[in-house]
Amino acid sequence: SNFNFISTFMHIILKNKFLYFGHYRIKCAIGKRGISKNKKEGDLCTPVGKFIFEYLMYRKDRNKNFKTHIPKKIIKKNMGWCDDSSSKKYNKLIKFPFPYRAEKLFLRKRSYDLLLVMNYNRHDAIPNKGSAIFLHVADRKFTPTKGCVAIKKKDFLKILPMIGKKTKIIIS
């Protein structure tokens, strides 16, 4: 297949609230306070850097057919993401009940119907440096995020098959 050839050369570039990927130009939402070189937990900024996507998480009840080349996990009702710096599970996937602060991943709203986990502050996570930096689904108004990047579901499904283990998102 052409896939390996494509994925070796193509990265996703984020510039001025657009993602550029291959010949696509995709409108996106970013953190409410813009892009930061010095991201902190709760600062509403999207971090500067080059990140890969570790895996896809998705709602099985809301996504039937999609193609992906990266590992995937179904979002279950008891799943969350720890955003509490005092926990050893900071910036990791967790299961409820959970003794620390964590964000629910199984939502009524559509934002987490599909989400790609970026490897920002993930391994040996530095407390308070920011957590849960995802590429996820935007709402109709492209409401600014708490630090994630968000795109229309239609666009997400369009680029998902083009994303591989080596694909980087470059945020500057």
Side-chain angles (χ1 to χ4, degrees):
S1 87
N2 236 355
F3 177 71
N4 285 335
F5 171 77
I6 292 168
S7 67
T8 318
F9 296 102
M10 273 193 350
H11 296 306
I12 301 169
I13 313 290
L14 194 163
K15 273 251 182 303
N16 303 323
K17 297 184 189 168
F18 281 93
L19 295 182
Y20 296 89
F21 189 34
H23 58 273
Y24 293 115
R25 175 177 178 267
I26 294 166
K27 186 176 162 71
C28 69
I30 60 168
K32 193 177 180 158
R33 293 223 177 97
I35 288 167
S36 171
K37 283 194 176 91
N38 193 17
K39 167 101 191 117
K40 298 269 181 283
E41 188 66 45
D43 67 359
L44 305 179
C45 289
T46 298
V48 162
K50 292 180 186 180
F51 309 109
I52 57 158
F53 299 109
E54 293 185 28
Y55 52 88
L56 172 79
M57 298 190 71
Y58 69 102
R59 283 282 294 272
K60 198 179 177 183
D61 56 325
R62 293 178 178 177
N63 297 286
K64 293 291 169 262
N65 299 316
F66 60 84
K67 205 176 165 185
T68 182
H69 298 275
I70 59 171
K72 58 186 187 205
K73 294 180 194 213
I74 294 166
I75 296 173
K76 304 206 167 77
K77 287 196 170 101
N78 66 343
M79 282 182 174
W81 200 272
C82 177
D83 56 4
D84 192 330
S85 278
S86 60
S87 168
K88 282 191 171 64
K89 294 262 168 138
Y90 178 59
N91 203 17
K92 287 186 171 46
L93 182 62
I94 59 93
K95 286 195 168 100
F96 293 111
F98 184 70
Y100 295 89
R101 197 179 66 233
E103 187 185 349
K104 280 195 172 83
L105 294 179
F106 194 96
L107 304 175
R108 185 174 294 142
K109 61 179 185 175
R110 305 244 156 208
S111 342
Y112 292 169
D113 281 11
L114 292 157
L115 72 83
L116 283 162
V117 176
M118 290 186 211
N119 71 333
Y120 172 78
N121 196 32
R122 284 272 296 137
H123 304 285
D124 304 318
I126 298 161
N128 247 14
K129 194 147 170 52
S131 63
I133 301 299
F134 305 141
L135 175 64
H136 65 69
V137 177
D139 65 18
R140 280 201 185 92
K141 296 179 194 150
F142 287 90
T143 307
T145 69
K146 292 181 190 160
C148 292
V149 179
I151 61 178
K152 269 194 225 144
K153 189 168 183 177
K154 189 183 76 187
D155 290 327
F156 201 120
L157 291 166
K158 206 185 288 175
I159 66 169
L160 186 57
M162 298 158 59
I163 293 171
K165 288 189 182 77
K166 294 194 172 93
T167 306
K168 289 187 180 80
I169 180 165
I170 301 164
I171 304 171
S172 58

